[in-house]
Amino acid sequence: MRVSLKDVAAHAGVSVKTVSNVVNDYPYVTAGMRERVQRSIDELGYRPNLTARHLRKGRTGIIALALPELGNPYFAELAAAVIDAAAAHDYTVLLDHTGGRREQEILVSQGFRARVIDGLIMSPIELETQDLRDRTEDVPLVLLGERDYDLPYDHIAIDNVAAARTAVRHLIGLGRREVAFIGDRRGRSEPAQLRVRGWREELAAAGLPADDGLVAATDGWGHADGAAAMTRILEAGRRPDAVFAYNDLVAIGAMRVLHARGLRVPEDIAVVGFDDVVEGRFGAVTLTSVSPDKEAIGRLAVESVLARLGGQSPEPRRFWADHRLAERESTLGRGAGGV
Amino acid sequence: MRVSLKDVAAHAGVSVKTVSNVVNDYPYVTAGMRERVQRSIDELGYRPNLTARHLRKGRTGIIALALPELGNPYFAELAAAVIDAAAAHDYTVLLDHTGGRREQEILVSQGFRARVIDGLIMSPIELETQDLRDRTEDVPLVLLGERDYDLPYDHIAIDNVAAARTAVRHLIGLGRREVAFIGDRRGRSEPAQLRVRGWREELAAAGLPADDGLVAATDGWGHADGAAAMTRILEAGRRPDAVFAYNDLVAIGAMRVLHARGLRVPEDIAVVGFDDVVEGRFGAVTLTSVSPDKEAIGRLAVESVLARLGGQSPEPRRFWADHRLAERESTLGRGAGGV
DNA sequence: GACGGGCTGTATAACGTTGTAAACTCGTGC
DNA sequence: GCACGAGTTTACAACGTTATACAGCCCGTC
């Protein structure tokens, strides 16, 4: 069995609480006593049992981060940001993946990790407002990604409509007139809808028609989905001169198809992605992408969830993280580009 | 405050233990009693406190997985495999990232998560044998990735030398004679050394010289490292006809440079990567790669660590997971290829 | 020289759960 | 009518920790 406070106390000939005091840097311990206890601690190799400590304290020091897809580097990079932000507050992150499936998202939001976590940060894909309304769990929850949940939860997002408009404006600025959108999900995803809306608004602002034949829906948001959607557009006889993709993976999948069919990026078709993942910086054609401030998102998420730990319920807030457009070869006009 | 067994017991007018028995499906509970207690549980919305349960039971139901880099899709995909395998045993995975830094790896192996996890699966990069010998923590540890630690820990790996030989043999089979290796780390990484050894052995077996000028060291194993190393080789005036990269990211970074300099893959230079990440299947030129059986690795890792949970210490074992060569365009010979 | 007050250390009781063992409730057999 | 045992429920202790409250001690003060 392992060494507990009791063992150390016996070894040093003091009370359990005194050892605890030394461990916790309680001020009223004489130097001599501190040293004597410390020696026993070192000798026996004592290390505190966090489970017990947290049972007593009511906190575990762990927050969960539920993401739809670890394989998507955007989420991996976001996870790194959250982990770092949590570490700055001495918190550890328990990573979950939901696969973006509603079933699983409900389970997680209902806290099937019951009581082992202090808070939950979740990036939902299919979760519905009603699912959250039904939530009984009292562990603080913070949502990532823009959704119009009208619910008392903090929310960290970037302005998807504005970001999409930035991307489309950039394409139009290159002289493109037929801009396709790849990665809609037929109403099952709010972020996708918002990006489509931004696409539509910006086209309208430029006096261009928003052609629904150029909006391609996908099942998921991986490389293969982008490739399939691009193929579908081309085989329908359409030949847009620009593509705005839901995310970088979709964009890269689409570019793969363009390349395979001999269409040049950006000369024939310019492409803009979303997320600014590292992968987009190393293809044969580097990818222009909307770049959300992942560090800010991670930091805000951790801070929001920790702020609610005390049990206080401040007004639910919506935080907007910044984004910018990282311009690269896939939309190269007269110059610019690079990594 | 939250609902505890005590509250439910009071509400139902029974003892705490009876409620516990109902919760745990203890067989000797009458149907009537079970129903009555269950009603109270539902009414009060009771949910067990895992911290307390685990303090009592000595297990937390959590295993940690320490990986060097979440941003590398190989590790993300591996993590998914581990999470799935753990879920099959009702275990949850706590994900750590060490950044591949020795300092951090030591910390993790020494269990700074002290007592909150039942076991640890770790994929070390810089960790030394001595660091593990100094390990005092008694949480079961399983190592991923091939290292020649002569230590009593289970080990899951693929045969790196054999895998590297397969890759190089494939290149030689295409008629290539000058095969570069990109991604050595000057003795600081055992897997890299083993892959270099495989490269060397296979060249020797084919009667070809192993030219050290064609072995490029890198600082890390990301896209940028591959790009930098490839640039160095070319600027040294070398022009190999094939490249075997430490992993896919390095390979993709190298291909980016080749493309930028107008060298064609595979016509001028064939490329083989390692890990078979999804990203490699969607570049302009799809990437041939050594494909480790990630599901098997995840499953074996979880099973090994759980097997040691009881405190028994069976002989440390070394498990070999399978690998195969996934052939794609970057080594296209006379036919073949595809996704 | 008794008294008050700041400094140290300790005994005890929790936190919420489950294992152990004992106690209670029946129906059955003699 | 009573012992017996199988079935059911309970009291208690324990997991390892920390909060609370208190008991000494030393010191300076009146």
Side-chain angles (χ1 to χ4, degrees):
Chain A
M1 209 38 206
R2 288 148 168 188
V3 184
S4 75
L5 282 184
K6 191 154 65 166
D7 303 320
V8 178
H11 185 269
V14 298
S15 82
V16 169
K17 189 63 214 291
T18 298
V19 181
S20 171
N21 287 340
V22 170
V23 171
N24 291 282
D25 278 327
Y26 182 70
Y28 298 128
V29 179
T30 53
M33 176 60 85
R34 189 179 297 279
E35 195 190 343
R36 171 169 147 215
V37 170
Q38 190 59 52
R39 206 188 333 270
S40 291
I41 288 177
D42 294 341
E43 218 162 297
L44 299 179
Y46 167 78
R47 286 234 295 295
N49 177 328
L50 296 195
T51 302
R53 173 177 293 175
H54 292 142
L55 168 60
R56 181 62 238 224
K57 290 199 161 187
R59 299 254 178 103
T60 64
I62 299 178
I63 55 183
L65 173 63
L67 297 175
E69 205 54 72
L70 273 170
N72 182 331
Y74 171 69
F75 289 113
E77 293 169 20
L78 183 59
V82 170
I83 290 174
D84 289 345
H89 294 86
D90 283 324
Y91 262 79
T92 299
V93 174
L94 181 72
L95 223 60
D96 253 330
H97 76 331
T98 61
R101 293 185 307 275
R102 182 170 172 203
E103 195 71 9
Q104 188 68 14
E105 290 180 346
I106 293 176
L107 226 58
V108 170
S109 77
Q110 286 290 349
F112 76 109
R113 297 264 176 271
R115 309 296 160 78
V116 81
I117 59 168
D118 292 344
L120 172 61
I121 299 171
M122 168 146 138
S123 176
I125 298 285
E126 298 186 342
L127 197 70
E128 300 293 334
T129 300
Q130 193 54 46
D131 300 331
L132 281 178
R133 217 185 294 283
D134 294 344
R135 183 178 129 99
T136 55
E137 180 63 29
D138 49 2
V139 165
L141 168 66
V142 170
L143 296 168
L144 297 185
E146 194 175 350
R147 301 288 301 262
D148 253 333
Y149 296 127
D150 176 26
L151 291 169
Y153 294 113
D154 281 346
H155 213 109
I156 323 283
I158 65 165
D159 185 336
N160 274 286
V161 175
R165 290 191 64 159
T166 303
V168 174
R169 188 179 319 125
H170 176 63
L171 289 168
I172 293 172
L174 297 171
R176 308 300 163 128
R177 289 297 171 263
E178 283 200 70
V179 181
F181 180 87
I182 298 186
D184 189 18
R185 274 179 86 170
R186 303 196 182 84
R188 283 167 60 223
S189 153
E190 223 157 317
Q193 288 179 305
L194 293 169
R195 291 178 198 180
V196 172
R197 194 205 299 171
W199 168 83
R200 199 179 302 280
E201 287 181 6
E202 191 62 28
L203 288 176
L208 294 170
D211 180 351
D212 283 336
L214 286 179
V215 175
T218 53
D219 292 328
W221 287 312
H223 298 87
D225 301 297
M230 191 73 245
T231 303
R232 232 166 39 243
I233 289 180
L234 294 176
E235 296 199 336
R238 305 301 307 254
R239 175 70 64 85
D241 54 12
V243 166
F244 172 41
Y246 176 81
N247 72 12
D248 284 357
L249 300 190
V250 167
I252 289 166
M255 286 202 295
R256 163 72 193 161
V257 169
L258 294 176
H259 175 84
R261 298 188 170 228
L263 291 165
R264 292 163 308 158
V265 175
E267 293 84 350
D268 299 323
I269 302 190
V271 178
V272 174
F274 207 111
D275 289 350
D276 191 21
V277 302
V278 174
E279 177 177 346
R281 306 211 267 273
F282 288 92
V285 176
T286 57
L287 178 65
T288 294
S289 187
V290 174
S291 182
D293 187 342
K294 300 178 194 102
E295 280 67 35
I297 295 175
R299 190 168 31 75
L300 286 169
V302 169
E303 284 167 5
S304 308
V305 83
L306 293 185
R308 291 184 175 273
L309 234 64
Q312 324 95 311
S313 311
E315 268 310 278
R317 287 196 51 188
R318 178 172 289 231
F319 298 92
W320 298 104
D322 276 342
H323 67 267
R324 60 181 195 87
L325 190 71
E327 295 183 37
R328 304 209 181 83
E329 292 166 1
S330 68
T331 60
L332 207 54
R334 302 177 298 275
V339 172
Chain B
M1 208 41 206
R2 287 148 167 187
V3 184
S4 75
L5 282 183
K6 190 154 65 169
D7 303 319
V8 178
H11 185 270
V14 297
S15 81
V16 168
K17 190 64 214 287
T18 299
V19 182
S20 170
N21 287 339
V22 171
V23 171
N24 291 283
D25 279 326
Y26 182 69
Y28 298 127
V29 179
T30 53
M33 176 61 87
R34 189 179 298 278
E35 195 190 342
R36 173 171 146 213
V37 170
Q38 189 60 52
R39 207 188 331 272
S40 291
I41 288 177
D42 294 340
E43 219 162 296
L44 299 179
Y46 167 79
R47 287 234 294 295
N49 177 326
L50 297 194
T51 303
R53 175 176 292 175
H54 291 143
L55 168 60
R56 179 64 236 230
K57 292 199 160 188
R59 298 252 178 106
T60 64
I62 299 178
I63 54 182
L65 173 62
L67 297 175
E69 204 54 70
L70 272 171
N72 183 332
Y74 170 70
F75 289 113
E77 293 168 21
L78 183 60
V82 170
I83 289 173
D84 289 345
H89 293 86
D90 284 324
Y91 262 79
T92 300
V93 174
L94 181 71
L95 223 60
D96 253 331
H97 77 330
T98 59
R101 293 187 305 277
R102 182 171 171 201
E103 195 72 9
Q104 187 68 14
E105 291 181 345
I106 293 176
L107 227 58
V108 170
S109 77
Q110 285 290 347
F112 76 109
R113 295 266 176 270
R115 308 294 159 80
V116 81
I117 59 168
D118 292 343
L120 172 62
I121 299 171
M122 170 147 139
S123 176
I125 297 285
E126 297 187 343
L127 198 70
E128 300 292 335
T129 300
Q130 191 55 45
D131 299 332
L132 282 178
R133 216 186 295 284
D134 293 345
R135 182 178 131 99
T136 55
E137 180 62 29
D138 49 3
V139 166
L141 168 66
V142 170
L143 296 167
L144 298 187
E146 192 174 353
R147 302 287 302 262
D148 253 333
Y149 296 126
D150 176 26
L151 290 168
Y153 295 113
D154 282 346
H155 214 110
I156 325 283
I158 65 166
D159 185 335
N160 275 287
V161 174
R165 292 191 62 160
T166 303
V168 174
R169 188 178 319 125
H170 175 63
L171 289 168
I172 294 172
L174 297 171
R176 309 298 163 130
R177 290 297 171 262
E178 282 200 70
V179 181
F181 180 87
I182 298 186
D184 189 18
R185 274 179 87 169
R186 302 197 183 83
R188 283 166 61 221
S189 154
E190 221 156 317
Q193 288 179 305
L194 293 169
R195 292 178 197 179
V196 172
R197 194 206 300 170
W199 168 83
R200 200 179 300 280
E201 288 182 5
E202 192 62 29
L203 287 176
L208 294 170
D211 179 352
D212 285 334
L214 287 179
V215 175
T218 53
D219 293 329
W221 287 312
H223 297 89
D225 302 297
M230 190 75 243
T231 302
R232 232 166 39 243
I233 289 180
L234 294 176
E235 295 199 337
R238 304 301 306 253
R239 174 70 64 85
D241 54 11
V243 166
F244 172 41
Y246 176 79
N247 72 11
D248 284 357
L249 300 190
V250 167
I252 289 167
M255 286 202 295
R256 163 72 193 162
V257 168
L258 295 176
H259 175 83
R261 299 191 168 224
L263 290 165
R264 292 164 307 159
V265 175
E267 294 84 350
D268 299 324
I269 302 192
V271 178
V272 175
F274 208 109
D275 289 348
D276 191 22
V277 302
V278 174
E279 179 177 346
R281 307 211 267 273
F282 287 92
V285 176
T286 58
L287 179 64
T288 294
S289 187
V290 174
S291 182
D293 187 343
K294 300 178 194 102
E295 280 66 35
I297 295 175
R299 189 168 30 75
L300 286 169
V302 169
E303 284 168 6
S304 307
V305 83
L306 293 185
R308 289 184 176 272
L309 234 64
Q312 324 93 313
S313 312
E315 268 309 280
R317 286 196 51 187
R318 178 172 288 230
F319 299 92
W320 298 104
D322 274 345
H323 66 268
R324 61 183 193 86
L325 190 72
E327 296 183 34
R328 302 208 183 83
E329 292 167 2
S330 69
T331 59
L332 207 55
R334 302 176 298 275
V339 173

